[in-house]
Amino acid sequence: MALQNNPASMNRHTRSLVDSLLLDSASLRLLPQQLENGVTVIDAGIKCHGGLEAGRRIAEICMGGQGHVSLQAAGTVSGWTSNITVHSNQPVLACLGSQYAGWSLSHGEGKSAFHALGSGPGRILARKEKLYDHLGIEDSADCATLVLEVDQPPPLELTERIALDCGVLPEQLRLILTPTRSLAGTTQVVARVLEVALHKAHELGFELRHIVDGLATAPLPPPAPDFLQAMGRTNDAILFAGQIHLFVTGEDSAAQALAEALPSSTSSDYGRPFAEIFKSCEYDFFKIDRLLFSPARITVSNLDSGRSFTHGVIDHEQLLVSFGVSL
């Protein structure tokens, strides 16, 4: 499936966004560093505070510059004043082509081993995922950007391998590090509320070429110092209160079937805090029902017929318990 209006180079387009992030790094409370091999690493929460604005901008970088992320003080949860909205008029390209954390990166063995999933437009250059054969997305650039959801810097040897796989010189590679327990990390994870729906739609076999536009929103949880709790909160924000509106073309039957199948509540694992589910699955993502990862409430509007289909529910009580709010 070749996507229409595929930009000539998402990596070159994203470079200017990263340059702006570096220029504003002091005010954004980020710590950029150039490694001895020339790779630029931007710490967004490991040895610095980072922040909401840093996370918002990193989320747009993660989408390859093909999406817009904003923060609001009103949303689906009454009384909760931190919310995030994501929009892309190229949702398949932005979310699956760039934002999806699909590149598995590792170095070393045992307790000292480093593991991470790479997001961002650098994935397109490396093409380590079969997903790209289906999407038909290509890129050619002398620079690359990846976002890593980690709480420690990557080994020097791994950064050199990433540059080699992307086909760029080390000094043209930028790596942004976003631990989930940080403000920036929490923000960029919840900003995947649109992406998880696109990924589930792909898993369900929906024709991605029929997805024209997409808008999504979710409450933004407070970070937690414990990794498991922080990860649980970011996932629960999407699973229990994320909302998405997809605009599609094609048959009403396909649009209706998508709306019915997409909500997180269709999963057999739905109903418990994500941290609890993850722990019960022995911290193995592959043991969790793949249908769980999706927003809570879905609206699909068919541009060809003018009809809309809505399914799913918002679970305020579960969400606030996850967020550590006293009821």
Side-chain angles (χ1 to χ4, degrees), residues 20-98:
S20 176
L21 195 75
L22 288 167
L23 185 64
D24 298 337
S25 60
S27 64
L28 293 172
R29 300 190 294 269
L30 305 176
L31 284 179
Q33 175 190 8
Q34 188 170 51
L35 304 181
E36 58 185 74
N37 61 3
V39 172
T40 297
V41 173
I42 304 173
D43 178 357
I46 301 174
K47 295 183 178 180
C48 59
H49 285 295
L52 299 177
E53 174 60 13
R56 186 195 69 78
R57 289 166 67 168
I58 291 169
E60 292 187 342
I61 289 169
C62 206
M63 297 177 78
Q66 302 302 310
H68 299 282
V69 180
S70 59
L71 302 175
Q72 296 88 30
T76 57
V77 181
S78 177
W80 192 256
T81 55
S82 300
N83 300 273
I84 195 165
T85 296
V86 183
H87 167 251
S88 177
N89 64 347
Q90 295 275 355
V92 177
L93 182 66
C95 296
L96 297 184
S98 187

Side-chain angles (χ1 to χ4, degrees), residues 88-91 208-214 246-249 303:
S88 177
N89 64 347
Q90 295 275 355
L208 297 179
R209 61 189 174 88
H210 289 307
I211 301 177
V212 177
D213 218 316
L246 291 179
F247 298 86
V248 305
T249 58
L303 299 177

Side-chain angles (χ1 to χ4, degrees), residues 104-154:
S104 180
L105 300 165
S106 62
H107 181 80
E109 297 179 355
K111 293 183 179 180
S112 62
F114 178 91
H115 299 284
L117 293 175
S119 304
R123 292 172 49 231
I124 311 172
L125 296 174
R127 300 187 74 83
K128 296 293 184 178
E129 307 155 54
K130 292 182 179 179
L131 177 63
Y132 287 111
D133 295 333
H134 178 73
L135 296 178
I137 297 175
E138 296 181 356
D139 196 357
S140 177
D142 59 1
C143 56
T145 299
L146 282 180
V147 175
L148 308 181
E149 188 181 339
V150 291
D151 58 6
Q152 61 179 312

Side-chain angles (χ1 to χ4, degrees), residues 8-24:
S9 174
M10 289 176 68
N11 280 281
R12 283 199 296 269
H13 178 69
T14 305
R15 184 183 180 93
S16 62
L17 300 180
V18 182
D19 287 342
S20 176
L21 195 75
L22 288 167
L23 185 64
D24 298 337

